[in-house]
Amino acid sequence: MKLILPPGVSQARFDQAMAAFARVIGQEWVLATDEDRETYLDMYSPGRDESHAAAGALAPANVAQIQAVLKIANEFHIPLWPISRGKNFGYGGAAPRMSGTVMLDLGRLNQILEVNEKQGYCILEPGVGFFDLWDHLKQNKIPLQMGIPGNGWGSVVGNALERGFSPAGDHSSNICGMEILLPTGELVRTGMGAMADGKAWPLFKHGFGPSWDQMVVQGNYAIVTKLCLWMKQEDEAAITLDIKLDKPEELKWYTEAMTPLRLRGVLDGLVRITSYQATATVPTLRSEWYQGKDSIPDSVIPLMMKRFNVGWWNGALRLSGYSDVCEVQLKRVQAQIARYTKQEFAVIRGPGNASPGPSTYPLQMTNWYGGRGGHIGYSPVMPADGKLVQEQFERTRRRYQEFGLDYSGTFYNDGRSVTNVNLILYGKDDAEQKDRVRKLFQALIKDAREQGYGEYRTHLSYMDDVAATYDFNHHALLRLNEKVKDAVDPNGILAPGRNGIWPKAYRDQRGKL
Amino acid sequence: MAGVLALLACAAPGAQAAESPAQVQARGLAAFVHRCGMCHREGGTGTYILARRLGAEQSLLEKRTDLQPLYVRTVVRWGLQNMPRLSRVEVPDADLDAIISYLLAPKPAAKP
Ligand SMILES: Cc1cc2nc3c(=O)[nH]c(=O)nc-3n(C[C@H](O)[C@H](O)[C@H](O)COP(=O)(O)OP(=O)(O)OC[C@H]3O[C@@H](n4cnc5c(N)ncnc54)[C@H](O)[C@@H]3O)c2cc1C
C-alpha cells in the first residue's frame, strides 16, 4: 500500500516525525514500508482500501515508550490509532477510521500480569491473545473460565474494548479497572486503582466519583495499557439443551419463553439462537448448494437442515454451575418450554469445564463464495419481546432477499434486550456484489432507526452513519462526546473518528471515506 | 509477578550468529506453533482451506516438501485469499526466517 499522509501533514514533517519515533522506540519498530502498510489493511473491507489506509505502524515496548510516542505525535500532529492485536475482522481489522493515521500496535505489551483464582480476575496487557490466556490457564491448571468470541485469534483486551461478546455475555461488563494513558501522556488508573496501591482495583468497579472504564470502551479518550477483567470460576457441571426449531416463526415463542428465565437468573449469559445457514457457511462452499447470483432460495433450506441435522433456528441452551442446582434449573426450563411447544429437545450432560477453547475455524466462513472473502455484521439492539424480535427478523430477511444476499442472523437475548447480529458475507473480488452489500447495510441502518433500534458496534466505514442515528436533541450525545474529546485530546491525535467521535482538528473528515 | 520474570528470562536470547541450523529450526518450530499453529495444525482454518484447494495431503504446512522461502514470506506479509496478512509485530522478520528454516528443513522419512 502506497503512503497516504495524515491530513495537513507534509511529507517532510511526516519523515521528521517518523525519525523522531525511531529514536524513542528503535528503527526496527517503526513499520512504514509499503509492505508494512499492507499488513494493516482491513482484509474484509466492503469498500476501498484507500478509505482506511494506515500511514505506518509503531510498536512500542512499554508505557514509557508510549508516552514518548505521544509527546512526538502531539508535537508533529500525527494521528495514532491504538490496537491490541488488531484482529477486529468484520469491524475494520487492524485499520484506522481515517487514512493517514499511524497504527499504535500494542502487540509487544503481552504480559499476563496476574490471574487470581480465588477472586476470579486477571490483569492483562493489551497484546495478550485469547490463545495465550487459554494456554496459561491450562498450563497452570487454573480453574477459571473465559468468554471466547467466535474468532479466537484476537486480544482479550481489544475485544473487551469493542464491547465484544460471547454466549458468556458482554465482555466489557467484566472490566473492573484499567491503567490508561491520556493522549497528552498522563498515566491514570481508574476505579480503586486511583489509590496508589489500591487493594481493591480489580475487585470493585466504581471507586469514588464518576466511573471512567466505560468512557474508554468504544471511545477515543485514552490508550489502555493494563486491564483488569473478571473471570468466572470453572463450573462443576453443564447441561445443554440442543434447541432446534423447525419453522422461522418459532423465534417469537422462543424469545418470549426465555426472557423471564433469563431475567430471574435461571439462565445466565446470553441466550443465543442462530439461523440454519451458520451451520453451512463454515464447512461447505456456497457453490455446493446454489449457483445463482440472488439469495439462496427457500428450497435449499430443507437440504441444509437435513444434511447437518439442524433446525431453521438452532441454539445450545446451556445451564452450568453446581450439578444439583443445574438439575433443578433444567426442570424449570423444560416446564417453561412445554408451555409453548410439544417438541422435546435432547439433553446433554457433561462436565463444567468442557469448553474446547479458542479457535480460528469459524474464520473459514469468508470462503463461502470461494476465493477471497469478507464479512460485515449489522447488529441492532431491541427490546426482548417475541413479537418485536420476530418482526425484526422478517424485515431484515426481506432486505437480504431484496439485495440478493444470503440471510444469516443470530439473536442474543439477555432478558431485557436482544442484540441481533446479522452476518453479511461476500466475495472480496466481486465489485457488483460489494455494491449490493453497501446498499443493504444502509437499508438496515435506516430500517432499524425507524423502529428506534440502534447498533451496538459497527465497521469503520459506518461509524459516522450509526453515530448519526443516536439523534436525541439534535445529537446532543455526540456534541458531549466531542466536547470531552477536545478537552482530553486538544490536538486530536488519538483515534480520530472512532465511533463517530471527531476531534476539532479533523471534524471536516466526518463522513469522508 | 514471578511468572512474568520467568517469562522474560526465557524470552531473552534472540537470533544469534552462532546458532546452529538445528537451533534456528527449534526457534522456528516455537514461533510456528505460537503464530501459525492455530490455523495451520489439525483443526485450523488454514489446514481446512488448503485441503479444499490442494487436497488433504498438502493441507498441513509442516508436512509439505514443496514450499519455497519467497512464497512463504510473500504469503505471510501480503496474505493469500483467506489467509490474513501478518505484520512484523506479530511475526518479526527474524522469527519468519526461523519459521521458513523450520518448514523447509528436510522431513524425517515417513514411516512405511
Ligand atoms: C468469524 C468471526 C467470528 C467472530 N466472532 C465474534 C464474537 O463471537 N464476538 C465478538 O465480540 N467478536 C467476534 N468477531 C469480531 C472480532 O474478530 C473479535 O471481536 C476480535 O476479538 C477483535 O479483535 P482484537 O481482539 O484483536 O481487538 P483489536 O482489533 O486490537 O481492538 C479493537 C479496537 O479496540 C480499540 N482498542 C484496542 N486496543 C486498545 C487499547 N489498548 N487502548 C485503546 N483502544 C484500544 C481500537 O479502536 C481497536 O481498533 C468475529 C469475527 C469473525 C471474523
Side-chain angles (χ1 to χ4, degrees):
Chain A
M1 187 74 206
K2 289 264 168 281
L3 172 63
I4 299 180
L5 289 165
V9 177
S10 69
Q11 180 76 54
R13 284 292 278 177
F14 183 76
D15 293 343
Q16 279 172 5
M18 295 310 259
F21 289 134
R23 280 193 291 278
V24 297
I25 63 173
Q27 185 64 53
E28 66 169 315
W29 298 111
V30 175
L31 314 185
T33 64
D34 286 354
E35 188 175 84
D36 287 325
R37 283 186 277 273
E38 193 73 20
T39 62
Y40 290 90
L41 290 175
D42 173 19
M43 68 177 292
Y44 286 7
S45 166
R48 301 176 314 131
D49 285 343
E50 291 74 17
S51 298
H52 307 292
L58 308 171
N62 53 44
V63 170
Q65 286 193 0
I66 306 174
Q67 285 174 309
V69 163
L70 286 170
K71 191 155 181 278
I72 297 164
N74 274 299
E75 187 186 332
F76 288 88
H77 295 265
I78 304 292
L80 302 173
W81 186 288
I83 49 171
S84 288
R85 279 186 44 74
K87 313 301 181 193
N88 202 13
F89 300 139
Y91 301 97
R97 165 65 185 85
M98 179 178 82
S99 287
T101 302
V102 173
M103 304 315 289
L104 189 65
D105 189 330
L106 301 173
R108 292 176 68 210
L109 284 80
N110 57 6
Q111 300 300 312
I112 297 171
L113 298 170
E114 188 186 346
V115 178
N116 188 303
E117 186 183 320
K118 184 173 177 200
Q119 271 137 352
Y121 67 82
C122 57
I123 305 182
L124 304 176
E125 289 190 334
V128 175
F130 288 95
F131 281 97
D132 301 324
L133 184 58
W134 176 263
D135 290 347
H136 181 88
L137 295 181
K138 295 300 141 185
Q139 277 156 17
N140 297 289
K141 299 197 167 51
I142 302 171
L144 292 176
Q145 317 188 88
M146 48 195 274
I148 304 173
N151 165 24
W153 198 38
S155 142
V156 182
V157 172
N159 175 276
L161 293 179
E162 267 283 272
R163 292 207 186 93
F165 63 80
S166 65
D170 163 14
H171 298 162
S172 78
S173 66
N174 294 328
I175 294 175
C176 182
M178 300 175 168
E179 180 184 272
I180 57 177
L181 272 170
L182 299 183
T184 43
E186 195 173 8
L187 190 67
V188 177
R189 286 188 177 177
T190 67
M192 304 307 273
M195 301 172 84
D197 257 350
K199 294 288 183 293
W201 188 28
L203 305 176
F204 179 76
K205 280 186 182 174
H206 309 302
F208 187 67
S211 173
W212 267 83
D213 289 352
Q214 289 293 334
M215 295 282 289
V216 175
V217 173
Q218 286 197 9
N220 51 8
Y221 304 135
I223 298 166
V224 175
T225 53
K226 293 185 179 72
L227 188 88
C228 312
L229 201 69
W230 287 350
M231 301 177 80
K232 213 178 148 206
Q233 313 288 339
E234 204 166 79
D235 291 313
E236 181 181 281
I239 301 181
T240 307
L241 272 165
D242 187 15
I243 304 292
K244 296 174 186 171
L245 309 177
D246 286 336
K247 293 191 222 74
E249 56 273 23
E250 289 187 273
L251 178 62
K252 181 176 172 184
W253 77 253
Y254 190 67
T255 304
E256 282 299 296
M258 292 304 117
T259 297
L261 294 176
R262 178 64 192 87
L263 273 185
R264 286 175 183 277
V266 177
L267 300 167
D268 69 359
L270 298 168
V271 181
R272 172 170 67 175
I273 191 98
T274 305
S275 65
Y276 62 92
Q277 191 174 282
T279 48
T281 36
V282 180
T284 61
L285 290 171
R286 186 180 197 264
S287 53
E288 294 175 38
W289 303 99
Y290 187 60
Q291 265 85 32
K293 280 222 149 205
D294 50 338
S295 311
I296 285 197
D298 284 357
S299 57
V300 173
I301 302 175
L303 305 179
M304 286 186 181
M305 286 167 56
K306 183 152 182 275
R307 164 134 167 221
F308 297 108
N309 184 25
V310 295
W312 214 105
W313 294 108
N314 303 285
L317 191 60
R318 196 167 183 274
L319 297 161
S320 61
Y322 292 116
S323 54
D324 49 349
V325 178
C326 287
E327 293 296 340
V328 177
Q329 287 171 325
L330 174 66
K331 289 212 177 74
R332 283 288 179 177
V333 174
Q334 285 173 322
Q336 174 76 346
I337 289 175
R339 293 176 57 205
Y340 295 87
T341 181
K342 291 197 172 56
Q343 194 181 347
E344 288 190 12
F345 302 99
V347 177
I348 303 148
R349 289 183 171 76
N353 62 354
S355 163
S359 162
T360 60
Y361 181 51
L363 289 176
Q364 191 158 309
M365 64 171 70
T366 50
N367 200 211
W368 181 235
Y369 287 93
R372 290 203 300 168
H375 77 65
I376 47 173
Y378 182 72
S379 314
V381 181
M382 69 206 71
D385 175 281
K387 180 168 172 289
L388 296 179
V389 166
Q390 186 71 33
E391 285 169 1
Q392 172 67 14
F393 151 65
E394 286 167 9
R395 189 165 41 237
T396 305
R397 187 157 182 259
R398 276 196 301 275
R399 286 294 197 188
Y400 272 72
Q401 287 164 340
E402 178 186 340
F403 292 99
L405 294 153
D406 299 337
Y407 177 76
S408 183
T410 304
F411 291 81
Y412 293 88
N413 186 348
D414 88 345
R416 292 195 170 80
S417 67
V418 164
T419 302
N420 167 213
V421 178
N422 295 293
L423 185 73
I424 311 173
L425 285 160
Y426 43 88
K428 262 289 272 185
D429 298 302
D430 186 339
E432 184 274 328
Q433 187 186 43
K434 284 199 295 184
D435 189 50
R436 282 185 277 129
V437 167
R438 291 192 296 268
K439 288 187 176 127
L440 168 64
F441 208 92
Q442 290 296 357
L444 292 176
I445 295 178
K446 188 170 147 286
D447 289 350
R449 177 64 202 89
E450 276 166 14
Q451 302 300 320
Y453 309 155
E455 240 200 320
Y456 94 97
R457 171 186 186 186
T458 205
H459 184 272
L460 297 170
S461 291
Y462 296 99
M463 286 179 170
D464 291 326
D465 297 315
V466 171
T469 66
Y470 287 79
D471 53 7
F472 171 74
N473 191 15
H474 310 287
H475 306 96
L477 180 68
L478 187 59
R479 285 198 301 282
L480 172 61
N481 285 340
E482 294 189 342
K483 206 172 196 169
V484 175
K485 179 67 180 163
D486 291 338
V488 298
D489 186 7
N491 294 316
I493 56 155
L494 197 68
R498 170 137 154 93
N499 283 60
I501 305 168
W502 290 95
K504 214 169 38 253
Y506 299 110
R507 229 157 257 162
D508 60 344
Q509 299 287 323
R510 195 191 318 273
K512 287 191 191 159
L513 287 176
Chain B
M1 289 302 272
V4 177
L5 292 177
L7 266 176
L8 285 175
C10 57
Q16 272 160 14
E19 263 181 320
S20 72
Q23 283 170 318
V24 177
Q25 287 158 23
R27 209 155 45 74
L29 168 62
F32 182 87
V33 170
H34 191 210
R35 294 305 193 194
C36 324
M38 62 281 277
C39 293
H40 283 296
R41 293 192 139 188
E42 295 289 352
T45 186
T47 305
Y48 282 106
I49 296 188
L50 287 174
R52 259 181 202 170
R53 187 157 64 79
L54 305 173
E57 319 74 59
Q58 299 286 71
S59 65
L60 283 166
L61 291 186
E62 287 167 286
K63 295 205 172 141
R64 295 278 289 272
T65 52
D66 61 336
L67 293 172
Q68 297 295 322
L70 185 62
Y71 183 66
V72 177
R73 176 178 306 281
T74 310
V75 169
V76 168
R77 296 286 183 236
W78 292 80
L80 174 74
Q81 307 225 60
N82 297 289
M83 155 121 181
R85 307 151 175 127
L86 304 185
S87 73
R88 286 197 280 150
V89 177
E90 177 101 20
V91 188
D93 285 331
D95 288 2
L96 185 51
D97 290 341
I99 289 171
I100 292 172
S101 305
Y102 164 66
L103 289 177
L104 269 67
K107 303 283 177 292
K111 287 192 190 121

